[in-house]
Amino acid sequence: MAPSLSEKFSDSSVLIDFVINQGNGVKGLSEMGLKALPKQYIQPLEERMCMTNVQAQESIPIIDMSNPNDPEVEKSICEAASKWGFFQIVNHDVPVEVLENVKDATYKFFGLAAEVKNKYSKEHSLSNNVRFGTSFTPQAEKALEWKDYLSLFYVSEEEAFALWPSVCREQVLDYMRKSEVVIKQLLKVLMKGLNVNEIDETKESLLMGSMRTNLNYYPKCPNPELTVGVGRHSDVSTLTILLQDEIGGLFVRGNDGDNWIHVPPIKGSLVINVGDALQIMSNGKYKSVEHRVVANGSNNRISVPIFVNPRPSDMIGPLPELIENGEKPIYKQVLYSDYVKHFFRKAHDGKKTVAFAEL
């Protein structure tokens, strides 16, 4: 009798060759109609999502941005960043059709043949700034994550036109351009909340000097309760702007530490979260909160985050204005590229990355 697909993939070298080397990703596994999850994706018990720990009645704030300069709106943004680390925005300045176009483009990219997507893999991509991959850091993980992604680090329009896949290039650039207005509005408000009232060019560059957009694809999964779409982590960004589709599956760590809160999809909304860089720069006032994505047994899911970051060459630490006001720094100055390397060197491990910058 021929071995089942699950048996075939129980050999890790066969699985790695199919998923990573040939560029099939977990999408390729999903589309084979596996009846059981390959063992390499089975997470230890403590990393699986226990639905009894979900706070059904809790939700992160939803903020109406139709008048971003309203003092009440400003207060809501700063409170959400301090208390929750996450909030959703509605009636913002990014047109709905721009969001729909980038979602369509995400499906188009992942619908390409494996050999076409594989041109953008770590082994074959013409640049480190364009990367098709799977899981998070496969070489460092004990168990793999059920996700494929395309990561696009923005350098210039010229580079994007030369190197980004044509099937999604224009749509991602448009999404990034249109989001910049909202990013600047949010950063202005968050800085004002720290009594930093002037964002000059140096400060703007420190807060948003580089940007990366990821197209994430979470295919339908056999035994979704045994694995994760993305493991527990906090982002290394200043801010993350996330577009999610209507499927749902993003969970945020609640204030009491033990429970998780689902972030329900709201059509036309964007999910905003504070990243570690902003937690460090705000000297801990704004919180970068742990989050995770569950796998789904009945639907494919996509999401498109923009990571708004300092530049790799920037030193990040508590903003000088805070220290001049007499605050005691709880973080040291660190080179941002060192911080990011530390994050990508290991598997997702909750909030441990920020300890790298603690005094």
Side-chain angles (χ1 to χ4, degrees):
M1 206 171 92
S4 71
L5 285 172
S6 299
E7 286 165 353
K8 174 183 162 185
F9 287 122
S10 66
D11 178 339
S12 282
S13 61
V14 173
L15 181 107
I16 295 296
D17 187 57
F18 178 81
V19 173
I20 297 178
N21 302 344
Q22 294 175 34
N24 289 291
V26 280
K27 181 175 185 280
L29 286 178
S30 173
E31 287 171 354
M32 294 176 100
L34 293 175
K35 294 286 176 279
L37 187 73
K39 68 177 195 300
Q40 297 86 342
Y41 290 90
I42 297 176
Q43 294 285 334
L45 267 172
E46 66 274 12
E47 294 304 333
R48 296 181 207 168
M49 186 70 178
C50 176
M51 285 306 176
T52 54
N53 285 357
V54 172
Q55 285 177 295
Q57 66 291 358
E58 283 273 29
S59 85
I60 63 167
I62 297 163
I63 299 173
D64 186 331
M65 292 285 285
S66 41
N67 184 2
N69 300 320
D70 177 338
E72 284 305 307
V73 173
E74 293 185 347
K75 187 173 161 220
S76 304
I77 291 169
C78 294
E79 277 180 1
S82 306
K83 183 184 174 192
W84 298 91
F86 264 83
F87 52 98
Q88 297 208 61
I89 57 171
V90 294
N91 297 323
H92 50 74
D93 284 337
V94 187
V96 171
E97 60 271 22
V98 171
L99 304 180
E100 291 304 317
N101 289 344
V102 84
K103 284 196 281 195
D104 291 347
T106 300
Y107 274 113
K108 284 205 174 93
F109 174 77
F110 287 101
L112 295 171
E115 56 272 22
V116 178
K117 289 182 291 199
N118 209 24
K119 285 194 224 159
Y120 302 101
S121 70
K122 189 176 179 180
E123 280 62 44
H124 304 115
S125 181
L126 297 172
S127 163
N128 276 338
N129 297 333
V130 181
R131 173 72 48 84
F132 166 64
T134 190
S135 194
F136 175 62
T137 310
Q139 61 282 10
E141 290 165 312
K142 291 189 181 71
L144 297 170
E145 299 179 349
W146 194 259
K147 175 187 101 164
D148 298 330
Y149 66 87
L150 175 71
S151 185
L152 301 166
F153 183 81
Y154 179 82
V155 173
S156 65
E157 298 244 343
E158 295 73 37
E159 182 180 282
F161 273 92
L163 298 176
W164 292 12
S166 58
V167 73
C168 58
R169 177 176 58 216
E170 308 253 4
Q171 295 85 346
V172 173
L173 286 171
D174 201 25
Y175 172 50
M176 290 175 86
R177 271 190 226 106
K178 298 289 193 309
S179 297
E180 205 166 303
V181 179
V182 176
I183 292 162
K184 286 180 175 171
Q185 284 170 347
L186 292 169
L187 287 173
K188 184 181 169 191
V189 170
L190 291 165
M191 286 301 106
K192 203 168 155 188
L194 301 173
N195 294 318
V196 177
N197 294 315
E198 178 61 37
I199 302 185
D200 58 16
E201 258 178 58
T202 312
K203 184 77 86 268
E204 185 175 287
S205 165
L206 179 66
L207 293 166
M208 52 178 295
S210 72
M211 286 196 205
R212 174 187 298 281
T213 300
N214 279 12
L215 310 185
N216 293 327
Y217 190 90
Y218 304 91
K220 200 163 73 170
C221 178
N223 316 114
E225 69 289 346
L226 300 181
T227 190
V228 294
V230 179
R232 299 176 304 114
H233 70 290
S234 63
D235 295 345
V236 292
S237 55
T238 302
L239 283 180
T240 302
I241 316 297
L242 176 82
L243 169 63
Q244 58 170 347
D245 66 10
E246 68 290 348
I247 303 301
L250 170 65
F251 287 82
V252 174
R253 179 145 339 248
N255 286 319
D256 59 5
D258 286 332
N259 290 328
W260 294 86
I261 298 164
H262 186 233
V263 179
I266 299 172
K267 193 163 176 60
S269 78
L270 291 166
V271 180
I272 310 295
N273 67 278
V274 171
D276 291 357
L278 185 56
Q279 177 172 319
I280 292 165
M281 288 192 264
S282 70
N283 204 31
K285 177 172 179 184
Y286 299 137
K287 292 184 175 56
S288 170
V289 171
E290 229 179 302
H291 49 286
R292 66 198 315 181
V293 174
V294 297
N296 189 306
S298 44
N299 292 293
N300 303 319
R301 174 180 182 266
I302 57 166
S303 70
V304 190
I306 299 176
F307 300 101
V308 180
N309 308 311
R311 290 170 309 182
S313 58
D314 284 327
M315 293 298 292
I316 60 165
L319 293 170
E321 290 90 338
L322 304 182
I323 307 310
E324 283 158 18
N325 283 343
E327 279 190 36
K328 189 173 183 298
I330 53 177
Y331 302 106
K332 60 190 177 195
Q333 297 282 329
V334 293
L335 181 66
Y336 187 61
S337 60
D338 285 347
Y339 190 84
V340 173
K341 277 182 199 138
H342 179 65
F343 176 65
F344 282 105
R345 204 176 282 140
K346 56 196 179 27
H348 279 142
D349 57 2
K351 279 283 298 172
K352 288 186 183 161
T353 312
V354 82
F356 183 79
E358 282 168 1
L359 278 170

